[in-house]
Amino acid sequence: MRITEESKVFILAPVKENDSIENRISNLVKMQPLEPFESVILEFISELSRRILSNNLYRRYPELIALAFWMRKSHLKNLEEQYLEMRRGRLLVPRGVVLHFAPSNVDSIFIYSWFISLLVGNSNIVRVSQQRGEQINILIDLLSDLLSEENFKVIQDRTAIITYPHNEDITRFLSENCNTRVIWGGDETIKRIRSVPLRANATEMVFADKYSLSAIDARALLELSNTELNQIAQNFYNDAYWFDQMACSSPRLIIWSGVEIEIERAKALFWDTVEQIVSEKQEKLNPSVGMTKLVTGYQYSAKGFFNRLSTNSTQGTYRADLKSLDLPFREIHCGGGFFLESHVENILEMVDFVDIKDQTLSVFGFSEEELRKLVQVVRGRGIDRIVSIGQSLNFDNVWDGYNLFENFSKEITIKLQSKE
């Protein structure tokens, strides 16, 4: 591999003197995989959690705190139980080396896929964007310190967190040295990376641009007490405003289910409560965010997409009432609290507009039976997960239709002829 000064690979963690990417990868691929859920892996992940949660400075980063809660020992124990249940009666081994390409819009997402890969025993190479946010730099500093400790040397030897400018030669070199490639990013990013071939027996998972929505039963919402309504609004705020509504699982379209008079009453109650939480939680938005929402709203109004806009303020929630769910509304997205709205009489009517790009449906007021019926009639044409409002950003070992435990593992079969 030819590396010029302009395309230099920077090894961010673990840092070693006089190290090169060629030497690091060469050593990493020689390492034997670890045992799934080996104690040193659990200690490493839970220690990172402890260091985040014990530092009050990190409390202003809700995404970091959510990640730290996911990494707690109690949750790791739950993940181990799920893994063992899945593995029951099967022979699963780590795939070897997993190469992760982290996204730039929600850059901490790579931690989840890396740690699930690590939990099942793999070595990992992680390429992060050069346009990193403050939170990812905090994480990398924490990881670098942790990986430098002697008791975590077995993980240090099996880890490389790197960054480099877009360079096909480097991507090819890394791809030739992995057993599984994981790509997070927009459609164009994925196309560019997938144009670089993998070794013949390697596998790949891609997590492309997705769209997410919420569905609320109007009558169920109207029956809530003030305390319960505040909790639902708080949960919705967490789903929508963490990552500035830019995560694939952040809701962008709100579907109201019920009769019109109840929907109008429910919308007024819900949005008034959400507005109060937004004003309490957020400092004044950058004027450019508000202007972007305003311009987006007017742009698509001019195209005939909306019945009406909430133009009284761009500082809080900015809502647009869709004329039709047949319109190409998924292209309308600027983040910052811009919500499309529509309504149906029954949640099963959603089958008419669900798309393959739809990922998370966060819901309130529907029975599991209704939701199962919706999934059955959609028949795989969209919706990868259905969760309660407030759980949209909760990462799970099944994501975008992939069971990560299974995909980061290789299944071995043993079938012996019985002696007669």
Side-chain angles (χ1 to χ4, degrees), residues 63 103-109 112 184 208-213 238-253 333-336 357 359-360 385 392-395 399-400:
E63 298 91 339
S104 57
N105 62 330
V106 189
D107 37 22
S108 62
I109 197 80
Y112 294 101
W184 298 86
D209 282 338
K210 289 283 187 172
Y211 192 91
S212 292
L213 55 158
N238 293 344
D239 283 350
Y241 282 89
W242 288 9
F243 299 113
D244 202 27
Q245 207 188 2
M246 297 301 287
C248 286
S249 53
S250 302
R252 304 172 191 177
L253 168 66
H333 179 50
C334 62
K357 292 180 76 71
Q359 184 210 62
T360 299
R385 56 197 289 262
S392 292
L393 302 179
N394 292 1
F395 196 84
W399 197 259
D400 280 11

Short mmCIF file of all heavy atoms in Angstrom, two decimals, residues 63 103-109 112 184 208-213 238-253 333-336 357 359-360 385 392-395 399-400:
data_model
loop_
_atom_site.label_atom_id
_atom_site.label_comp_id
_atom_site.label_asym_id
_atom_site.label_seq_id
_atom_site.Cartn_x
_atom_site.Cartn_y
_atom_site.Cartn_z
N GLU A 63 -25.94 11.96 24.86
CA GLU A 63 -25.63 10.76 24.07
C GLU A 63 -24.54 9.93 24.75
O GLU A 63 -24.57 8.70 24.73
CB GLU A 63 -25.18 11.15 22.66
CG GLU A 63 -26.23 11.89 21.86
CD GLU A 63 -26.14 13.40 22.02
OE1 GLU A 63 -25.55 13.86 23.04
OE2 GLU A 63 -26.66 14.12 21.16
N PRO A 103 -20.12 6.51 11.01
CA PRO A 103 -20.77 7.63 10.32
C PRO A 103 -20.28 8.96 10.87
O PRO A 103 -19.72 9.02 11.96
CB PRO A 103 -22.25 7.42 10.63
CG PRO A 103 -22.24 6.79 11.98
CD PRO A 103 -21.01 5.91 12.02
N SER A 104 -20.52 10.02 10.14
CA SER A 104 -20.10 11.34 10.60
C SER A 104 -21.22 12.07 11.33
O SER A 104 -20.97 12.96 12.13
CB SER A 104 -19.61 12.19 9.43
OG SER A 104 -20.61 12.30 8.44
N ASN A 105 -22.50 11.69 11.07
CA ASN A 105 -23.60 12.45 11.67
C ASN A 105 -23.91 12.01 13.10
O ASN A 105 -24.26 12.80 13.95
CB ASN A 105 -24.86 12.37 10.82
CG ASN A 105 -25.38 10.95 10.67
OD1 ASN A 105 -24.62 9.99 10.69
ND2 ASN A 105 -26.69 10.81 10.52
N VAL A 106 -23.78 10.72 13.38
CA VAL A 106 -24.00 10.19 14.74
C VAL A 106 -22.77 9.35 15.06
O VAL A 106 -22.82 8.13 15.11
CB VAL A 106 -25.29 9.35 14.82
CG1 VAL A 106 -25.61 9.01 16.28
CG2 VAL A 106 -26.46 10.09 14.20
N ASP A 107 -21.65 10.04 15.32
CA ASP A 107 -20.37 9.33 15.29
C ASP A 107 -20.17 8.35 16.45
O ASP A 107 -19.37 7.43 16.34
CB ASP A 107 -19.20 10.32 15.24
CG ASP A 107 -19.42 11.58 16.07
OD1 ASP A 107 -20.25 11.56 17.00
OD2 ASP A 107 -18.76 12.57 15.78
N SER A 108 -20.90 8.49 17.55
CA SER A 108 -20.71 7.54 18.65
C SER A 108 -21.34 6.19 18.37
O SER A 108 -21.13 5.24 19.13
CB SER A 108 -21.29 8.12 19.95
OG SER A 108 -22.68 8.34 19.84
N ILE A 109 -22.11 6.06 17.29
CA ILE A 109 -22.78 4.79 16.99
C ILE A 109 -21.76 3.66 16.79
O ILE A 109 -22.06 2.49 17.05
CB ILE A 109 -23.68 4.93 15.74
CG1 ILE A 109 -24.69 3.79 15.65
CG2 ILE A 109 -22.87 5.01 14.46
CD1 ILE A 109 -25.88 3.95 16.52
N TYR A 112 -21.20 1.12 19.69
CA TYR A 112 -22.12 0.01 19.90
C TYR A 112 -21.75 -1.18 19.03
O TYR A 112 -21.67 -2.32 19.51
CB TYR A 112 -23.55 0.45 19.58
CG TYR A 112 -24.10 1.50 20.51
CD1 TYR A 112 -24.15 2.84 20.14
CD2 TYR A 112 -24.61 1.16 21.76
CE1 TYR A 112 -24.67 3.81 20.99
CE2 TYR A 112 -25.13 2.12 22.62
CZ TYR A 112 -25.16 3.45 22.23
OH TYR A 112 -25.67 4.40 23.07
N TRP A 184 -21.34 2.27 8.17
CA TRP A 184 -22.40 3.18 8.60
C TRP A 184 -22.27 4.45 7.77
O TRP A 184 -21.18 5.00 7.63
CB TRP A 184 -22.23 3.56 10.07
CG TRP A 184 -22.31 2.43 11.05
CD1 TRP A 184 -21.30 1.60 11.44
CD2 TRP A 184 -23.47 2.02 11.78
NE1 TRP A 184 -21.75 0.70 12.37
CE2 TRP A 184 -23.08 0.94 12.61
CE3 TRP A 184 -24.79 2.47 11.84
CZ2 TRP A 184 -23.97 0.30 13.46
CZ3 TRP A 184 -25.67 1.83 12.69
CH2 TRP A 184 -25.26 0.76 13.49
N ALA A 208 -27.46 2.01 6.08
CA ALA A 208 -27.58 3.14 5.16
C ALA A 208 -28.52 4.21 5.71
O ALA A 208 -29.01 4.12 6.83
CB ALA A 208 -28.08 2.64 3.81
N ASP A 209 -28.77 5.23 4.89
CA ASP A 209 -29.73 6.27 5.24
C ASP A 209 -31.07 5.63 5.57
O ASP A 209 -31.58 4.80 4.81
CB ASP A 209 -29.92 7.24 4.06
CG ASP A 209 -28.78 8.22 3.95
OD1 ASP A 209 -28.08 8.45 4.95
OD2 ASP A 209 -28.58 8.76 2.84
N LYS A 210 -31.63 6.01 6.67
CA LYS A 210 -32.94 5.49 7.08
C LYS A 210 -33.84 6.63 7.50
O LYS A 210 -33.40 7.76 7.74
CB LYS A 210 -32.78 4.50 8.25
CG LYS A 210 -32.14 3.16 7.85
CD LYS A 210 -33.13 2.26 7.13
CE LYS A 210 -32.58 0.87 6.89
NZ LYS A 210 -33.59 -0.06 6.36
N TYR A 211 -35.11 6.31 7.60
CA TYR A 211 -36.12 7.30 7.98
C TYR A 211 -36.93 6.71 9.12
O TYR A 211 -37.27 5.53 9.10
CB TYR A 211 -37.02 7.58 6.79
CG TYR A 211 -37.93 8.79 6.96
CD1 TYR A 211 -37.51 10.05 6.55
CD2 TYR A 211 -39.19 8.66 7.53
CE1 TYR A 211 -38.33 11.16 6.70
CE2 TYR A 211 -40.02 9.77 7.68
CZ TYR A 211 -39.58 11.01 7.26
OH TYR A 211 -40.39 12.11 7.42
N SER A 212 -37.25 7.54 10.12
CA SER A 212 -38.02 7.03 11.26
C SER A 212 -39.20 7.93 11.57
O SER A 212 -39.21 9.12 11.24
CB SER A 212 -37.11 6.89 12.48
OG SER A 212 -36.17 5.85 12.28
N LEU A 213 -40.20 7.35 12.21
CA LEU A 213 -41.45 8.05 12.45
C LEU A 213 -42.07 7.60 13.76
O LEU A 213 -41.69 6.58 14.34
CB LEU A 213 -42.42 7.81 11.30
CG LEU A 213 -42.76 6.36 10.90
CD1 LEU A 213 -44.08 6.32 10.16
CD2 LEU A 213 -41.67 5.77 9.99
N ASN A 238 -36.44 13.21 24.10
CA ASN A 238 -35.20 12.43 24.07
C ASN A 238 -34.99 11.77 22.71
O ASN A 238 -33.88 11.77 22.16
CB ASN A 238 -35.22 11.37 25.16
CG ASN A 238 -35.18 11.97 26.56
OD1 ASN A 238 -34.85 13.13 26.74
ND2 ASN A 238 -35.53 11.17 27.55
N ASP A 239 -36.06 11.20 22.16
CA ASP A 239 -35.96 10.55 20.84
C ASP A 239 -35.59 11.54 19.75
O ASP A 239 -34.77 11.25 18.86
CB ASP A 239 -37.30 9.91 20.46
CG ASP A 239 -37.56 8.60 21.18
OD1 ASP A 239 -36.64 8.07 21.82
OD2 ASP A 239 -38.70 8.10 21.08
N ALA A 240 -36.20 12.72 19.79
CA ALA A 240 -36.09 13.66 18.67
C ALA A 240 -34.89 14.59 18.76
O ALA A 240 -34.26 14.89 17.74
CB ALA A 240 -37.37 14.48 18.56
N TYR A 241 -34.57 15.04 19.96
CA TYR A 241 -33.60 16.14 20.07
C TYR A 241 -32.18 15.71 20.38
O TYR A 241 -31.25 16.48 20.17
CB TYR A 241 -34.10 17.17 21.08
CG TYR A 241 -35.18 18.06 20.50
CD1 TYR A 241 -36.52 17.70 20.58
CD2 TYR A 241 -34.86 19.24 19.83
CE1 TYR A 241 -37.51 18.50 20.02
CE2 TYR A 241 -35.83 20.05 19.28
CZ TYR A 241 -37.16 19.67 19.37
OH TYR A 241 -38.13 20.46 18.82
N TRP A 242 -32.00 14.51 20.94
CA TRP A 242 -30.63 14.01 21.04
C TRP A 242 -30.15 13.80 19.59
O TRP A 242 -30.89 13.38 18.73
CB TRP A 242 -30.58 12.69 21.79
CG TRP A 242 -30.82 12.83 23.27
CD1 TRP A 242 -31.21 13.94 23.94
CD2 TRP A 242 -30.66 11.81 24.26
NE1 TRP A 242 -31.33 13.69 25.28
CE2 TRP A 242 -31.00 12.38 25.52
CE3 TRP A 242 -30.29 10.47 24.21
CZ2 TRP A 242 -30.96 11.66 26.70
CZ3 TRP A 242 -30.26 9.73 25.38
CH2 TRP A 242 -30.58 10.33 26.61
N PHE A 243 -28.92 14.10 19.34
CA PHE A 243 -28.34 14.05 17.99
C PHE A 243 -29.01 15.07 17.06
O PHE A 243 -28.91 14.96 15.85
CB PHE A 243 -28.43 12.65 17.37
CG PHE A 243 -27.71 11.59 18.15
CD1 PHE A 243 -28.41 10.58 18.78
CD2 PHE A 243 -26.34 11.59 18.25
CE1 PHE A 243 -27.76 9.60 19.51
CE2 PHE A 243 -25.67 10.62 18.97
CZ PHE A 243 -26.38 9.62 19.60
N ASP A 244 -29.72 16.06 17.65
CA ASP A 244 -30.32 17.14 16.86
C ASP A 244 -31.23 16.62 15.77
O ASP A 244 -31.30 17.16 14.67
CB ASP A 244 -29.23 18.04 16.26
CG ASP A 244 -29.74 19.42 15.90
OD1 ASP A 244 -30.71 19.88 16.52
OD2 ASP A 244 -29.17 20.03 14.98
N GLN A 245 -31.91 15.51 16.05
CA GLN A 245 -32.87 14.89 15.11
C GLN A 245 -32.17 14.34 13.86
O GLN A 245 -32.82 14.12 12.84
CB GLN A 245 -33.97 15.88 14.70
CG GLN A 245 -35.30 15.22 14.31
CD GLN A 245 -36.29 16.21 13.72
OE1 GLN A 245 -36.01 17.39 13.55
NE2 GLN A 245 -37.48 15.72 13.40
N MET A 246 -30.86 14.10 13.93
CA MET A 246 -30.13 13.64 12.76
C MET A 246 -29.84 12.14 12.77
O MET A 246 -29.31 11.60 11.80
CB MET A 246 -28.80 14.41 12.63
CG MET A 246 -28.96 15.90 12.42
SD MET A 246 -29.91 16.33 10.95
CE MET A 246 -28.73 15.94 9.67
N ALA A 247 -30.17 11.46 13.87
CA ALA A 247 -29.97 10.00 13.90
C ALA A 247 -31.01 9.34 13.00
O ALA A 247 -32.13 9.84 12.84
CB ALA A 247 -30.10 9.48 15.33
N CYS A 248 -30.65 8.20 12.43
CA CYS A 248 -31.60 7.48 11.58
C CYS A 248 -32.86 7.08 12.33
O CYS A 248 -33.93 6.95 11.74
CB CYS A 248 -30.94 6.22 11.01
SG CYS A 248 -29.73 6.56 9.71
N SER A 249 -32.75 6.89 13.64
CA SER A 249 -33.91 6.46 14.43
C SER A 249 -34.64 7.64 15.06
O SER A 249 -35.60 7.43 15.81
CB SER A 249 -33.48 5.46 15.50
OG SER A 249 -32.41 5.97 16.28
N SER A 250 -34.22 8.87 14.79
CA SER A 250 -34.93 10.05 15.31
C SER A 250 -36.23 10.24 14.53
O SER A 250 -36.22 10.24 13.29
CB SER A 250 -34.07 11.30 15.16
OG SER A 250 -32.83 11.18 15.83
N PRO A 251 -37.37 10.44 15.20
CA PRO A 251 -38.64 10.61 14.48
C PRO A 251 -38.70 11.93 13.70
O PRO A 251 -38.34 12.98 14.23
CB PRO A 251 -39.68 10.59 15.60
CG PRO A 251 -38.94 11.04 16.82
CD PRO A 251 -37.54 10.52 16.66
N ARG A 252 -39.15 11.83 12.46
CA ARG A 252 -39.30 13.02 11.62
C ARG A 252 -40.75 13.22 11.19
O ARG A 252 -41.16 14.34 10.95
CB ARG A 252 -38.39 12.87 10.39
CG ARG A 252 -36.93 12.64 10.76
CD ARG A 252 -36.07 12.29 9.56
NE ARG A 252 -34.74 11.83 9.98
CZ ARG A 252 -33.80 11.42 9.16
NH1 ARG A 252 -34.02 11.41 7.85
NH2 ARG A 252 -32.64 11.01 9.63
N LEU A 253 -41.49 12.13 11.09
CA LEU A 253 -42.90 12.19 10.73
C LEU A 253 -43.72 11.66 11.90
O LEU A 253 -43.40 10.62 12.47
CB LEU A 253 -43.16 11.31 9.49
CG LEU A 253 -44.62 11.02 9.14
CD1 LEU A 253 -45.35 12.30 8.72
CD2 LEU A 253 -44.68 9.97 8.02
N HIS A 333 -35.87 16.91 5.15
CA HIS A 333 -35.25 16.70 6.45
C HIS A 333 -34.13 17.71 6.66
O HIS A 333 -33.19 17.78 5.87
CB HIS A 333 -34.69 15.29 6.55
CG HIS A 333 -34.02 15.03 7.87
ND1 HIS A 333 -34.62 15.31 9.07
CD2 HIS A 333 -32.79 14.54 8.16
CE1 HIS A 333 -33.79 14.99 10.05
NE2 HIS A 333 -32.69 14.52 9.52
N CYS A 334 -34.26 18.50 7.71
CA CYS A 334 -33.19 19.45 8.03
C CYS A 334 -32.78 19.35 9.49
O CYS A 334 -31.84 20.01 9.92
CB CYS A 334 -33.64 20.88 7.71
SG CYS A 334 -35.07 21.43 8.66
N GLY A 335 -33.48 18.50 10.29
CA GLY A 335 -33.14 18.35 11.69
C GLY A 335 -33.53 19.57 12.52
O GLY A 335 -34.25 20.46 12.06
N GLY A 336 -33.07 19.60 13.75
CA GLY A 336 -33.29 20.75 14.61
C GLY A 336 -34.68 20.89 15.17
O GLY A 336 -35.02 21.91 15.77
N LYS A 357 -36.98 2.23 3.28
CA LYS A 357 -36.05 3.08 4.02
C LYS A 357 -36.51 3.35 5.45
O LYS A 357 -35.77 3.93 6.24
CB LYS A 357 -35.84 4.42 3.29
CG LYS A 357 -35.10 4.30 1.97
CD LYS A 357 -34.94 5.64 1.31
CE LYS A 357 -33.85 6.46 1.98
NZ LYS A 357 -32.49 5.94 1.72
N GLN A 359 -37.05 2.85 9.18
CA GLN A 359 -36.36 2.04 10.17
C GLN A 359 -37.16 1.87 11.46
O GLN A 359 -37.69 0.81 11.75
CB GLN A 359 -34.99 2.65 10.51
CG GLN A 359 -34.16 1.81 11.47
CD GLN A 359 -33.22 2.64 12.33
OE1 GLN A 359 -33.66 3.48 13.11
NE2 GLN A 359 -31.92 2.41 12.18
N THR A 360 -37.26 2.94 12.26
CA THR A 360 -37.87 2.84 13.58
C THR A 360 -39.24 3.48 13.60
O THR A 360 -39.41 4.63 13.18
CB THR A 360 -36.96 3.52 14.63
OG1 THR A 360 -35.70 2.85 14.67
CG2 THR A 360 -37.60 3.46 16.02
N ARG A 385 -37.90 -1.91 13.22
CA ARG A 385 -38.11 -2.07 14.66
C ARG A 385 -39.27 -1.18 15.11
O ARG A 385 -39.48 -0.10 14.54
CB ARG A 385 -36.84 -1.74 15.46
CG ARG A 385 -36.28 -0.36 15.19
CD ARG A 385 -34.84 -0.22 15.66
NE ARG A 385 -34.71 -0.19 17.11
CZ ARG A 385 -34.58 0.94 17.82
NH1 ARG A 385 -34.60 2.13 17.21
NH2 ARG A 385 -34.42 0.89 19.12
N SER A 392 -36.37 5.12 20.99
CA SER A 392 -35.92 5.14 19.59
C SER A 392 -34.41 5.02 19.46
O SER A 392 -33.90 4.37 18.54
CB SER A 392 -36.39 6.42 18.89
OG SER A 392 -37.78 6.43 18.75
N LEU A 393 -33.68 5.65 20.36
CA LEU A 393 -32.22 5.69 20.25
C LEU A 393 -31.54 4.57 21.03
O LEU A 393 -30.31 4.50 21.06
CB LEU A 393 -31.70 7.05 20.73
CG LEU A 393 -32.24 8.27 19.99
CD1 LEU A 393 -31.66 9.55 20.57
CD2 LEU A 393 -31.94 8.20 18.50
N ASN A 394 -32.33 3.71 21.69
CA ASN A 394 -31.74 2.61 22.47
C ASN A 394 -31.19 1.55 21.52
O ASN A 394 -31.94 0.87 20.82
CB ASN A 394 -32.79 1.98 23.38
CG ASN A 394 -33.22 2.91 24.50
OD1 ASN A 394 -32.77 4.04 24.58
ND2 ASN A 394 -34.10 2.43 25.35
N PHE A 395 -29.88 1.41 21.51
CA PHE A 395 -29.26 0.46 20.59
C PHE A 395 -29.50 -0.97 21.08
O PHE A 395 -29.46 -1.26 22.27
CB PHE A 395 -27.76 0.71 20.48
CG PHE A 395 -27.14 0.03 19.29
CD1 PHE A 395 -27.17 0.62 18.04
CD2 PHE A 395 -26.54 -1.21 19.43
CE1 PHE A 395 -26.62 -0.01 16.95
CE2 PHE A 395 -25.98 -1.85 18.33
CZ PHE A 395 -26.02 -1.25 17.09
N TRP A 399 -30.36 -4.80 14.83
CA TRP A 399 -30.43 -3.43 14.32
C TRP A 399 -30.56 -3.46 12.80
O TRP A 399 -29.83 -4.17 12.13
CB TRP A 399 -29.18 -2.65 14.72
CG TRP A 399 -29.32 -1.16 14.62
CD1 TRP A 399 -28.85 -0.37 13.62
CD2 TRP A 399 -29.99 -0.29 15.55
NE1 TRP A 399 -29.16 0.95 13.87
CE2 TRP A 399 -29.87 1.03 15.05
CE3 TRP A 399 -30.67 -0.50 16.74
CZ2 TRP A 399 -30.42 2.12 15.70
CZ3 TRP A 399 -31.21 0.59 17.40
CH2 TRP A 399 -31.08 1.88 16.88
N ASP A 400 -31.50 -2.69 12.29
CA ASP A 400 -31.76 -2.64 10.84
C ASP A 400 -31.94 -4.03 10.24
O ASP A 400 -31.55 -4.29 9.09
CB ASP A 400 -30.61 -1.92 10.11
CG ASP A 400 -30.74 -0.40 10.21
OD1 ASP A 400 -31.56 0.08 11.01
OD2 ASP A 400 -30.00 0.30 9.49
#
